[in-house]
Amino acid sequence: MNRLLLKKINLLLHLAKVDGKFDHSEKQLLVNVLKESGLDGSFLESHEAEAVKLDTLAEIPDKSELFYWVMKMIKADNILHADEVAYAKTVALKLNLKPEVVDYYSQNEVPDLPSFTQNMKQFRLS
């Protein structure tokens, strides 16, 4: 597994657990991310999430895709927990996005990835 994918999985795992529980829908979302990357979902059974240094998120080439999965994760269980929202806002800032993007997508449907990527332009910090 490449380093960037591992960082993405670790970030999403941490986000899934930040509210104190790891819901089935959150686990399923992670399995889908793994499958999209060509990995078996059983990876989660043997993987202990490592802390992600948020300052290193700037090195991720596709920030919109990462943030897409962040928003999908905080909405996966249909409960917007304050800790998840706060963490997502911190991630947004580290990805050079306005934290208001979290509020926007907390109240609106997260579209498909191409539409989401297009919409991210309006939330970029200068």
Side-chain angles (χ1 to χ4, degrees):
M1 175 179 302
N2 75 45
R3 183 177 59 82
L4 291 176
L5 178 57
L6 186 57
K7 184 179 289 196
K8 177 177 163 182
I9 297 299
N10 285 334
L11 177 72
L12 293 174
L13 259 172
H14 177 75
L15 184 57
K17 295 177 179 181
V18 80
D19 64 355
K21 59 185 186 227
F22 188 30
D23 188 78
H24 174 73
S25 58
E26 294 168 328
K27 182 177 181 180
Q28 190 57 51
L29 183 73
L30 278 165
V31 168
N32 292 343
V33 170
L34 287 167
K35 286 181 180 178
E36 270 191 20
S37 302
L39 298 170
D40 189 294
S42 65
F43 172 81
L44 291 178
E45 304 304 320
S46 62
H47 181 70
E48 283 294 321
E50 298 172 17
V52 175
K53 294 178 182 172
L54 296 181
D55 289 336
T56 66
L57 293 180
E59 70 188 41
I60 293 186
D62 195 348
K63 293 169 183 59
S64 292
E65 180 191 359
L66 175 63
F67 200 70
Y68 168 81
W69 288 112
V70 166
M71 290 309 303
K72 295 289 272 187
M73 181 59 72
I74 70 169
K75 295 184 83 171
D77 63 0
N78 294 314
I79 301 169
L80 289 173
H81 192 277
D83 291 341
E84 291 173 331
V85 170
Y87 193 77
K89 286 182 178 186
T90 301
V91 170
L93 285 169
K94 296 298 181 181
L95 295 174
N96 203 33
L97 297 168
K98 297 174 186 173
E100 294 83 24
V101 67
V102 177
D103 297 328
Y104 177 81
Y105 282 112
S106 293
Q107 298 169 13
N108 295 287
E109 188 73 29
V110 177
D112 60 32
L113 183 56
S115 299
F116 185 86
T117 299
Q118 184 66 30
N119 291 345
M120 286 297 90
K121 293 176 183 175
Q122 68 181 326
F123 293 106
R124 295 217 190 283
L125 293 170
S126 50

